[in-house]
Amino acid sequence: LTEVPPALGCLTCLTRLDLDANLICAWPSDPAFPITALSSTLTLLSLSENRLDTIPPQIKHLTLLQHLALDANLLSQVPAWLPAALPSLNTLTLSRNALLANSLPASTLLFLTSITE
């Protein structure tokens, strides 16, 4: 896969979404992608081993997300909006990225119960 299939947004009971080991470089920016349908159920999103160079801002609508895996991508920083946008997040995995020094906002560290290298 090179993009998140828009049809996934129609799976209104989906709680876990594993899209590891693909070629995804962006989340759908199409306004027709119904991310709000996922926001009421999705608790785990794994996008490890893809080609993301930024954390997609659309993820901030997934307010029930508890686990976000972004290992082995091309990330260089973690956006400052992440902690406030994802209040239920307790596990964030970012290993094997090109994170710059001080790219993890201090506010992120306050709410996570698990951080993996």
Side-chain angles (χ1 to χ4, degrees), residues 88-104:
S88 299
L89 192 67
N90 58 42
T91 303
L92 175 63
T93 57
L94 296 166
S95 64
R96 295 178 290 144
N97 278 287
L99 293 173
L100 301 172
N102 299 320
S103 64
L104 189 63

Side-chain angles (χ1 to χ4, degrees), residues 5-73:
L8 290 176
C10 299
L11 301 174
T12 58
C13 295
L14 194 65
T15 59
R16 300 170 61 96
L17 179 56
D18 184 335
L19 294 169
D20 290 352
N22 284 289
L23 302 172
I24 296 169
C25 57
W27 192 269
S29 58
D30 182 352
F33 182 78
I35 193 158
T36 54
L38 295 175
S39 69
S40 62
T41 59
L42 200 65
T43 60
L44 180 143
L45 176 60
S46 187
L47 290 165
S48 297
E49 298 180 33
N50 278 286
R51 294 187 177 170
L52 293 169
D53 61 2
T54 61
I55 296 178
Q58 296 88 338
I59 287 177
K60 67 176 115 182
H61 299 289
L62 303 174
T63 57
L64 295 181
L65 206 60
Q66 296 173 9
H67 181 92
L68 178 58
L70 295 165
D71 309 83
N73 276 284

